[in-house]
Amino acid sequence: MCSSDLIVCPTRELAMQSQVVLEQAGSSCGVRSTCVYGGVPKWQQIQDLNKGVEVVVATPGRLKDLVQMGAVSLAGISYLVLDEADMMLALGFERFIRATVAAAPAEHQTLMLTATWPPEVERVAASLLRAGHATVSIGGGKERLTACADVAQKVHVVAPEAKWDHFLSTLARLAPRTGGTRRRLIVFA
């Protein structure tokens, strides 16, 4: 793995679920992904990585093994997604998370996803994320569960047959102009 995006999930089951979604979403646009997790032989996973992928979904233990073996390098990742960050902390993976973020290039982006935002997740996030990072919370009930003022959220409900055309027109409209360096993340569901 040279330059791929990395999604780290705390359990094999969550990693496999993410991989299924990535295969479905990526198949139409040529984004290849693979899932690496413990409990199965490493050789097949290494073969998949050697074929080249844009996204790797991994559990902490197997990722650590593959990094130590030299089969995976974190030096080229551009996006690091820590899925279920609260669960990873509860399972004792804080040192792993810190080491992974430290091994990634300085210009990478880290996304910490969590259904809850307990103080320990907030503490780790504050120490890992860059100054001025955006926090987006979706939910209700608590005053702090509101969207970050720096992030514009728009929902477009589109007929199934019009989704692709709408997607392409939205990408064309949001594409950076010459010399623009701003990045955007668009999520379609």
Side-chain angles (χ1 to χ4, degrees):
M1 174 173 108
C2 295
S3 59
S4 298
D5 295 331
L6 175 61
I7 300 171
V8 182
C9 301
T11 66
R12 175 172 54 181
E13 293 75 21
L14 289 171
M16 292 169 72
Q17 288 174 9
S18 294
Q19 173 63 14
V20 168
V21 172
L22 276 168
E23 284 178 346
Q24 293 169 348
S27 65
S28 64
C29 55
V31 173
R32 296 162 301 162
S33 60
T34 192
C35 188
V36 296
Y37 52 85
V40 297
K42 295 174 188 149
W43 66 268
Q44 179 63 52
Q45 294 173 347
I46 293 170
Q47 282 183 331
D48 290 344
L49 290 166
N50 288 337
K51 290 177 187 173
V53 295
E54 287 76 35
V55 182
V56 175
V57 182
T59 57
R62 180 52 53 102
L63 180 62
K64 181 179 177 183
D65 291 346
L66 294 174
V67 167
Q68 288 174 342
M69 292 173 62
V72 171
S73 169
L74 303 176
I77 63 173
S78 54
Y79 290 96
L80 169 60
V81 179
L82 301 172
D83 194 13
E84 299 290 347
D86 55 338
M87 187 186 302
M88 278 198 272
L89 291 174
L91 293 172
F93 292 121
E94 181 175 348
R95 282 191 1 192
F96 168 82
I97 291 169
R98 290 186 181 284
T100 303
V101 171
E107 64 277 0
H108 86 279
Q109 292 185 27
T110 299
L111 291 84
M112 294 182 79
L113 308 177
T114 178
T116 63
W117 197 247
E120 56 273 10
V121 174
E122 193 168 1
R123 176 186 55 78
V124 171
S127 69
L128 292 177
L129 302 178
R130 293 185 189 131
H133 65 271
T135 300
V136 179
S137 298
I138 301 171
K142 293 184 179 179
E143 184 176 317
R144 62 182 264 159
L145 292 178
T146 59
C148 175
D150 295 338
V151 176
Q153 297 182 52
K154 296 181 182 181
V155 176
H156 298 263
V157 179
V158 180
E161 62 276 2
K163 282 184 179 182
W164 185 248
D165 289 337
H166 185 72
F167 172 71
L168 293 177
S169 67
T170 301
L171 283 180
R173 184 173 44 81
L174 295 176
R177 307 292 183 243
T178 338
T181 58
R182 294 183 65 178
R183 287 186 167 185
R184 294 176 173 95
L185 174 65
I186 304 170
V187 178
F188 288 84

